[in-house]
């Protein structure tokens, strides 16, 4: 069996191969949708076939005739899996003859429509509807003629079909996440700022998930108010052995394309439709799941310092999420609006781990007043500063804010993890060892010189409620230690040498003058 490093290298090689096939027509950022959409189509086809075959080696669903599918079988499958795919419409059967299919683009459009509409009227309808909306088969970016479009679509299908990792669930790697991360890192220039917003690198996601789930034997459900492609939520799934997430995964996302990716990602990780609830919309102005809170675990990487209506909407100060602080986040910096939203949705026993822009921890005005509310009510458990350049599309050295409502001491922990990183290609990464080191410090709450400090909230109040890590964890002095006595001795020798040289030069000048 291939190792995770080998599988990841093979995945990246294949994706680059597909990119070369369609290069010149579809730029990287758009091309991403076709690769991820095709990966998803392959996965749900194989997953559905495995469900129908139910471990019976004598049955090969892909080889069956569509005619033998009874209405009862179809209905049972939709109720269980959330969707239905006929044998002839499976990925393997379409990919097999893709290059010879002169109607490939229209056939794919029909298949995707059939998969989505199969859920109409069932409990899974909202989870399935629009999943393939961003797989634009009519786009001129695929080519100006039908033949050009089909050629490129066939290349993508064939490339994904050639990925030979066995069953998706047996892979060492996060196939979808790795594919997404690879595409974003290679097309960062095209992606611009959006890459960092849409995707939290897997190593950072792992740290955030461990912080939110720390010492919780079981959680009712896990929630991300700005869930992007779902990478943060799904990192928590990897903790199922030690943490039982009873009611599944919940998230809200404002970007339609990314909302679709998050739902796809759930299916790709074998999270059934009845174990997740991803909603589309503006979390700050149209929050979902009010009737489903509180949540025992919250993870989030909200967009940094975006504009929002803030104080221009007089109703927001009376919103139950923002009212306790007596002030709303500034109109040009919505960071604390997301933080107050998360706190409102957090259960009395839970933890929220939120990626934050460092500036919010020391600026004045409304942000200082919100920090005062958080500190005076003892909601801030830990502030962690991370190394720069961990995210795609931004080199900012971000912080992680951990909130809790069940703290025993009126103290706040600060961890300076800015020196913990490994340089890889264009980005820095956190290794498992780095994550373990941070979690150990988070767990023990002990003072560690130049790394971790537990500070009385009264001292933070005296410091104008500044929560910047550098204000409390003294940086290591890396300057070279100089021995003054040795230096003075060296200077005396140098001065003596200079005097000797001057005497020699004077003698030479006198000889020349004579």
């Amino acid at each position: 069996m291939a190792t995770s490093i080998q599988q990841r290298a093979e995945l990246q090689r294949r994706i680059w191969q597909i990119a070369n096939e369609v290069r010149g027509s579809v730029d990287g950022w758009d091309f991403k949708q076709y690769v991820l959409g095709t990966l998803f189509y392959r996965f749900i086809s194989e997953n559905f076939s495995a469900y129908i075959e139910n471990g019976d080696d004598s049955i090969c669903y892909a080889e069956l005739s569509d005619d033998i599918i009874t209405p009862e079988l179809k209905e049972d499958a939709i109720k269980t899996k959330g969707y239905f795919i006929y044998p002839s419409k499976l990925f393997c059967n379409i990919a097999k003859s893709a290059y010879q299919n002169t109607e490939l683009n229209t056939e794919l459009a029909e298949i995707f429509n059939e998969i989505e509409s199969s859920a109409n009227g069932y409990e899974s309808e909202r989870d399935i509807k629009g999943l393939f909306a961003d797989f634009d088969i009519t786009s001129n970016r695929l080519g100006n003629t039908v033949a050009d479009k089909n050629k490129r679509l066939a290349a993508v299908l064939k490339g994904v079909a050639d990925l030979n990792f066995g069953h998706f669930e047996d892979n060492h790697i996060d196939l979808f996440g790795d594919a997404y991360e690879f595409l974003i890192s290679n097309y960062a220039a095209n992606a611009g700022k959006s890459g960092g917003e849409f995707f939290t690198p897997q190593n950072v996601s792992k740290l955030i998930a461990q912080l939110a789930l720390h010492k919780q034997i079981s959680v009712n459900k896990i929630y991300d108010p700005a869930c992007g492609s779902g990478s943060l939520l799904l990192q928590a799934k990897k903790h199922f052995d030690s943490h039982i997430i009873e009611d599944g995964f919940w998230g809200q996302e404002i970007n339609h394309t990314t909302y679709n990716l998050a739902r796809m990602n759930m299916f790709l990780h074998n999270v059934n439709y009845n174990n997740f609830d991803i909603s589309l919309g503006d979390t700050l102005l149209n929050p979902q799941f009010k009737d489903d809170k509180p949540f025992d675990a919250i993870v989030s990487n909200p967009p940094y310092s975006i504009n929002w209506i803030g104080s221009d909407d007089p109703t927001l100060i009376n919103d139950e999420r923002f009212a306790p602080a007596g002030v709303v986040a500034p109109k040009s910096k919505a960071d604390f609006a997301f933080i107050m939203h998360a706190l409102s949705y957090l259960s009395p026993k839970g933890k929220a781990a939120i990626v934050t822009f460092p500036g919010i921890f020391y600026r004045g005005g409304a942000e200082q007043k919100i920090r005062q509310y958080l500190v005076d009510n003892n909601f801030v458990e830990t502030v962690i500063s991370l190394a720069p350049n961990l995210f795609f599309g931004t080199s900012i050295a971000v912080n992680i804010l951990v909130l809790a409502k069940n703290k025993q001491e009126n103290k706040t922990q600060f961890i300076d993890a800015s020196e913990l990183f490994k340089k890889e290609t264009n980005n820095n990464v956190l290794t498992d060892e780095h994550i373990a080191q941070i979690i150990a410090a988070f767990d023990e709450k002990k003072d560690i010189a130049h790394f971790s400090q537990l500070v009385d909230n009264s001292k933070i109040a005296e410091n104008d409620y500044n929560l910047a890590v550098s204000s409390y964890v003294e940086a290591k002095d890396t300057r070279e230690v100089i021995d003054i006595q040795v230096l003075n001795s060296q200077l005396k020798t140098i001065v003596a040498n200079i005097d000797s040289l001057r005497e020699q030069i004077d003698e030479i000048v006198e000889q020349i003058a004579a």
Side-chain angles (χ1 to χ4, degrees):
M1 185 69 179
T3 65
S4 58
I5 295 172
Q6 290 169 330
Q7 285 189 346
R8 191 170 288 113
E10 172 66 5
L11 173 69
Q12 293 175 358
R13 188 182 71 80
R14 288 290 187 186
I15 290 175
W16 204 244
Q17 199 173 52
I18 301 167
N20 286 331
E21 289 276 344
V22 297
R23 190 184 296 278
S25 178
V26 185
D27 75 29
W29 201 234
D30 297 320
F31 165 71
K32 164 179 65 67
Q33 307 300 339
Y34 296 105
V35 172
L36 296 174
T38 304
L39 270 171
F40 178 65
Y41 174 35
R42 174 180 164 179
F43 172 79
I44 62 170
S45 292
E46 293 182 3
N47 191 272
F48 189 80
S49 296
Y51 162 72
I52 296 291
E53 292 163 7
N54 195 27
D56 188 340
D57 293 338
S58 67
I59 301 173
C60 179
Y61 184 64
E63 294 175 1
L64 298 180
S65 166
D66 292 356
D67 297 334
I68 72 163
I69 304 300
T70 63
E72 293 78 17
L73 174 63
K74 184 175 180 180
E75 184 173 16
D76 285 347
I78 297 170
K79 284 179 178 177
T80 303
K81 298 303 293 179
Y83 59 93
F84 189 87
I85 308 176
Y86 281 99
S88 65
K89 307 299 172 65
L90 292 168
F91 171 83
C92 61
N93 287 329
I94 300 302
K96 191 164 45 181
S97 57
Y99 277 111
Q100 292 76 44
N101 189 345
T102 57
E103 299 179 350
L104 179 62
N105 63 330
T106 55
E107 189 170 349
L108 281 173
E110 288 170 5
I111 290 170
F112 295 161
N113 182 58
E114 283 179 20
I115 293 172
E116 290 184 14
S117 60
S118 70
N120 290 351
Y122 290 88
E123 189 184 340
S124 59
E125 180 176 351
R126 195 168 74 87
D127 299 309
I128 303 294
K129 190 173 185 178
L131 275 174
F132 291 99
D134 295 297
F135 199 108
D136 188 358
I137 282 139
T138 63
S139 173
N140 286 334
R141 290 171 299 188
L142 281 171
N144 293 320
T145 67
V146 171
D148 284 343
K149 288 182 174 69
N150 287 339
K151 180 182 175 184
R152 291 188 172 93
L153 285 170
V156 176
L157 261 68
K158 185 68 167 61
V160 170
D162 286 344
L163 287 170
N164 184 23
F165 295 156
H167 296 295
F168 276 76
E169 58 267 29
D170 294 334
N171 286 321
H172 290 294
I173 60 172
D174 173 359
L175 195 67
F176 196 65
D178 279 6
Y180 195 11
E181 188 166 335
F182 177 69
L183 286 162
I184 287 174
S185 63
N186 276 278
Y187 296 112
N190 290 6
K193 184 184 174 189
S194 59
E197 289 177 359
F198 289 174
F199 189 81
T200 307
Q202 291 175 48
N203 45 75
V204 180
S205 297
K206 188 183 295 186
L207 171 62
I208 293 166
Q210 289 187 31
L211 289 166
L213 291 165
H214 185 66
K215 282 190 173 176
Q216 298 204 66
I217 297 168
S218 68
V219 299
N220 60 354
K221 47 206 168 191
I222 188 164
Y223 167 62
D224 185 342
C227 69
S229 62
S231 59
L232 271 173
L233 286 171
L234 288 163
Q235 274 297 334
K237 187 176 184 292
K238 299 183 188 306
H239 292 260
F240 260 131
D241 290 338
S242 53
H243 301 95
I244 300 171
I245 301 172
E246 295 165 352
D247 297 324
F249 306 83
W250 305 63
Q252 186 166 348
E253 172 55 39
I254 195 170
N255 179 285
H256 195 277
T257 295
T258 322
Y259 158 71
N260 285 338
L261 286 174
R263 291 186 298 156
M264 285 184 184
N265 217 351
M266 292 294 153
F267 283 107
L268 276 162
H269 284 79
N270 269 331
V271 180
N272 213 35
Y273 75 90
N274 55 353
N275 285 326
F276 73 83
D277 197 337
I278 307 293
S279 246
L280 178 66
D282 187 327
T283 296
L284 299 182
L285 303 182
N286 184 25
Q288 303 298 301
F289 314 128
K290 289 180 181 178
D291 296 334
D292 300 298
K293 64 179 186 178
F295 296 87
D296 290 342
I298 296 177
V299 292
S300 193
N301 177 17
Y304 309 143
S305 300
I306 59 167
N307 295 324
W308 77 308
I309 194 167
S311 57
D312 283 350
D313 182 348
T315 66
L316 286 175
I317 193 59
N318 296 317
D319 188 302
E320 63 179 356
R321 298 169 297 165
F322 311 126
V327 65
V328 294
K331 290 184 287 186
S332 61
K333 303 173 185 69
D335 309 69
F336 269 116
F338 283 104
I339 289 167
M340 290 298 293
H341 170 90
L343 182 68
S344 172
Y345 275 48
L346 185 63
S347 77
K349 82 177 188 76
K351 292 185 192 296
I354 306 165
V355 179
T356 55
F357 181 78
I360 69 167
F361 291 128
Y362 54 78
R363 292 190 294 239
E367 292 181 316
Q368 183 186 31
K369 290 178 181 176
I370 297 172
R371 292 198 304 272
Q372 179 175 350
Y373 166 76
L374 294 173
V375 172
D376 285 351
N377 286 277
N378 205 27
F379 291 140
V380 180
E381 179 169 355
T382 303
V383 183
I384 305 167
S385 63
L386 297 181
N389 207 30
L390 290 171
F391 289 75
F392 301 113
T394 178
S395 60
I396 295 170
V398 302
N399 289 187
I400 298 176
L401 172 67
V402 183
L403 300 174
K405 294 180 176 179
N406 59 352
K407 288 171 60 187
Q408 301 303 308
E409 289 186 289
N410 281 309
K411 294 182 177 182
T412 300
Q413 183 187 35
F414 296 89
I415 297 175
D416 182 357
S418 58
E419 297 298 318
L420 300 184
F421 66 91
K422 179 184 176 186
K423 181 73 177 171
E424 277 191 9
T425 59
N426 297 324
N427 279 85
N428 295 329
V429 298
L430 285 173
T431 65
D432 287 346
E433 290 75 20
H434 295 147
I435 293 170
Q437 190 175 342
I438 295 169
I439 293 295
F442 177 71
D443 176 59
E444 293 172 0
K445 297 290 189 295
K446 291 180 180 176
D447 292 345
I448 303 170
H450 313 300
F451 186 68
S452 174
Q453 197 75 28
L454 198 61
V455 179
D456 281 323
N457 288 348
S458 59
K459 184 177 177 182
I460 296 171
E462 291 170 8
N463 196 20
D464 296 326
Y465 294 95
N466 185 326
L467 289 174
V469 174
S470 58
S471 296
Y472 304 99
V473 181
E474 185 181 357
K476 187 180 290 186
D477 190 345
T478 56
R479 293 174 300 178
E480 183 182 353
V481 177
I482 297 172
D483 188 321
I484 298 299
Q485 289 182 332
V486 172
L487 181 62
N488 284 335
S489 174
Q490 290 173 339
L491 285 172
K492 285 179 183 176
T493 303
I494 292 169
V495 169
N497 288 337
I498 290 172
D499 289 343
S500 175
L501 284 170
R502 278 179 178 160
E503 288 176 4
Q504 293 175 29
I505 291 169
D506 288 343
E507 287 177 8
I508 293 169
V509 170
E510 285 178 8
Q511 290 174 4
I512 293 172

